[in-house]
Amino acid sequence: MMTYEEALRYYAQIDMMGSHLGLDRMAELLRRLGNPEKQLKFVHVAGTNGKGSTAALLDACLRQAGYRVGLYTSPHLVRYNERFQVNGQPISDTALAEATEQVKTAADTMEDAPTQFELLTCVAFCCFLSAGCDIVVLEVGLGGRLDATNSIPVPEAAVITRIGLEHTEILGDTIEKIAAEKGGIIKAGGTVVLGDSSEAVVGVTQEICQERGAALIPARSAVPLSKSLEGQRFSWGPYPEICLSLLGEHQLQNAATALTVLEVLRTKGWQIPDEAILKGMRTAVWPGRFECVSRHPVIIIDGGHNQQCAEAIAVSLRSYFPGKKCSFLMGVLADKDFHGIFDAILPLAARIAAVTPDSHRALPAPELCQRLRDEYGYAAAVPYATMTDALRELQRSAEGEDVICICGSLYMVGEARELFKMT
């Protein structure tokens, strides 16, 4: 029997082989596993930003309605188990090892070896089926059309959240091309909830839906009422007041998208009482997304890693802390939109403590600081060897009303949360 440690070594070895989009390997691997995906019900969530938060909100509300819910997201922050949650809890080490062994046995004799993400997606299906999940909230890994998660049958609902420029070398260099890739999760006769109201995305999505005979439902907007570091309140549709645990103005759009999906599920026979929706919104947790982990000084953690994310962070910082400059602890990946991120962040930055994220794609901290000096004339950026060193210095020199924001890469979130014992 495979152990948990052996499973991790297996994934590390597969990761070195790289990633190749396509559905043929998934179809073959799933066939060898007995097609577990055909025995599950899904809500399929794609998008550039907001898909994880929207998935977490859906998971929380469906659990409050009494359903046994599987949640598949990526990447993990600390441990692989986080990617596979059943009723709000990561699967056990034993469950992950057993499912990995099952999938590995099926994959070992394949001529075209599956990628790491394909293996993990199959592990998710096997775990959720074994756990007796009533419904699975399934987050797309990359793109949509050729993503491993798109091997499922027609879901109860497909969801597309906000779309921006990302992975342009793979998905295309325009919003329209990327929207077409995300829209690849739309299946004939399905129902699609669209959380992006931009003209380009709406146009592309409408065209795909018409071609495939799918129903398109735009997400109804939320109306903000109040906010604090404890949460925020808004009204939406039939609900005059909803309390939302997630911080940041952008989360209102994600909540509105999730609420629209829940309305769709109700029309398909899913029993979701109002009380379940209100409690799910109030108690949902999605770590590392404008998450306040300290009050003295205020420290915010956000895994924002592209232009849209950085702009959302900047909007939220201005909204929650008007008129204040912030100290940033940042690391970015070399293949991310450097200028898109720092165009949004620098106007708020009193100083930047730069670190190198734990990824082979990381931009080294000294190079980040050099680029800020050369390309922006920004001299208040200092590289640090570790996040602990950087955070200690920012906390040491902070005054009572200072705000520290840790952001730039999801690869930093897990380490940052561990420093505050948030895992």
Side-chain angles (χ1 to χ4, degrees):
M1 179 66 67
M2 177 180 281
T3 66
Y4 179 73
E5 290 72 22
E6 289 170 339
L8 297 188
R9 287 196 292 271
Y10 173 61
Y11 291 128
Q13 173 190 346
I14 297 296
D15 187 39
M16 295 175 63
M17 298 167 59
S19 177
H20 311 283
L21 292 175
L23 297 178
D24 290 344
R25 291 180 301 274
M26 274 296 290
E28 173 63 16
L29 183 52
L30 287 169
R31 184 190 65 76
R32 292 173 180 231
L33 291 167
N35 291 110
E37 81 286 359
K38 293 183 179 179
Q39 303 171 67
L40 294 164
K41 301 287 187 182
F42 296 94
V43 175
H44 200 190
V45 186
T48 303
N49 296 310
K51 61 181 186 289
S53 299
T54 302
L57 290 165
L58 288 168
D59 168 65
C61 292
L62 288 167
R63 284 190 282 113
Q64 291 298 332
Y67 291 108
R68 191 165 179 80
V69 185
L71 175 64
Y72 180 55
T73 59
S74 61
H76 58 276
L77 301 182
V78 179
R79 306 182 81 231
Y80 268 101
N81 311 51
E82 300 166 22
R83 297 177 180 235
F84 325 91
Q85 296 193 29
V86 176
N87 269 11
Q89 295 297 319
I91 63 171
S92 67
D93 292 358
T94 300
L96 178 58
E98 289 177 351
T100 299
E101 183 172 45
Q102 179 184 359
V103 172
K104 180 180 183 299
T105 299
D108 276 350
T109 58
M110 288 177 57
E111 185 174 341
D112 189 4
T115 67
Q116 185 195 72
F117 189 72
E118 289 165 351
L119 294 166
L120 291 168
T121 302
C122 288
V123 165
F125 295 158
C126 292
C127 285
F128 295 148
L129 181 60
S130 177
C133 291
D134 300 307
I135 190 167
V136 173
V137 182
L138 188 71
E139 182 191 28
V140 167
L142 174 63
R145 181 175 63 93
L146 297 176
D147 187 74
T149 63
N150 205 27
S151 55
I152 63 171
V154 181
E156 299 296 284
V159 189
I160 300 175
T161 63
R162 298 185 307 282
I163 291 178
L165 292 174
E166 64 159 356
H167 302 292
T168 53
E169 73 284 357
I170 299 172
L171 303 179
D173 57 2
T174 67
I175 291 295
E176 289 81 0
K177 289 178 182 178
I178 292 177
E181 289 296 319
K182 307 290 186 184
I185 70 168
I186 299 170
K187 293 181 168 57
T191 303
V192 186
V193 173
L194 181 60
D196 190 318
S197 59
S198 64
E199 183 176 344
V201 173
V202 170
V204 170
T205 309
Q206 283 178 334
E207 185 176 336
I208 295 172
C209 286
Q210 289 169 359
E211 289 174 354
R212 300 179 186 176
L216 176 59
I217 301 176
R220 196 184 310 182
S221 297
V223 179
L225 299 176
S226 67
K227 65 179 181 298
S228 73
L229 290 179
E230 304 299 327
Q232 48 190 329
R233 298 185 308 117
F234 67 97
S235 64
W236 181 90
Y239 302 101
E241 181 177 319
I242 298 175
C243 296
L244 180 64
S245 58
L246 307 183
L247 304 182
E249 294 189 4
H250 56 288
Q251 294 293 5
L252 296 182
Q253 185 176 355
N254 297 328
T257 301
L259 288 164
T260 306
V261 175
L262 293 167
E263 277 195 339
V264 168
L265 293 178
R266 280 173 160 177
T267 68
K268 298 194 173 187
W270 295 86
Q271 301 300 309
I272 310 170
D274 289 345
E275 295 78 10
I277 290 175
L278 294 174
K279 188 172 182 181
M281 289 279 155
R282 188 172 67 249
T283 60
V285 175
W286 191 230
R289 279 71 173 185
F290 211 80
E291 180 182 18
C292 182
V293 296
S294 170
R295 294 298 187 89
H296 303 289
V298 171
I299 300 178
I300 302 292
I301 297 177
D302 194 296
H305 57 283
N306 58 32
Q307 180 178 345
Q308 267 191 329
C309 290
E311 290 171 350
I313 292 169
V315 167
S316 293
L317 287 172
R318 287 190 176 98
S319 177
Y320 282 85
F321 312 104
K324 290 188 179 179
K325 290 278 190 175
C326 301
S327 297
F328 287 90
L329 197 169
M330 297 189 69
V332 300
L333 301 186
D335 57 0
K336 293 299 181 180
D337 180 4
F338 185 90
H339 294 107
I341 292 171
F342 285 100
D343 286 348
I345 293 298
L346 284 183
L348 290 172
R351 55 181 173 168
I352 293 175
V355 296
T356 305
D358 183 18
S359 169
H360 65 275
R361 295 155 50 205
L363 181 69
E367 187 175 336
L368 187 157
C369 296
Q370 188 64 50
R371 288 192 63 179
L372 288 176
R373 285 191 292 271
D374 293 346
E375 298 170 31
Y376 287 92
Y378 185 86
V382 177
Y384 289 85
T386 69
M387 183 180 293
T388 300
D389 292 342
L391 183 59
R392 184 182 294 120
E393 173 57 24
L394 292 181
Q395 288 177 301
R396 185 195 64 77
S397 56
E399 298 179 358
E401 298 298 314
D402 280 3
V403 177
I404 298 170
C405 182
I406 303 173
C407 64
S409 173
L410 278 171
Y411 287 91
M412 296 168 55
V413 170
E415 182 181 355
R417 295 187 86 246
E418 283 196 310
L419 292 177
F420 292 93
K421 309 298 183 186
M422 300 290 293
T423 55

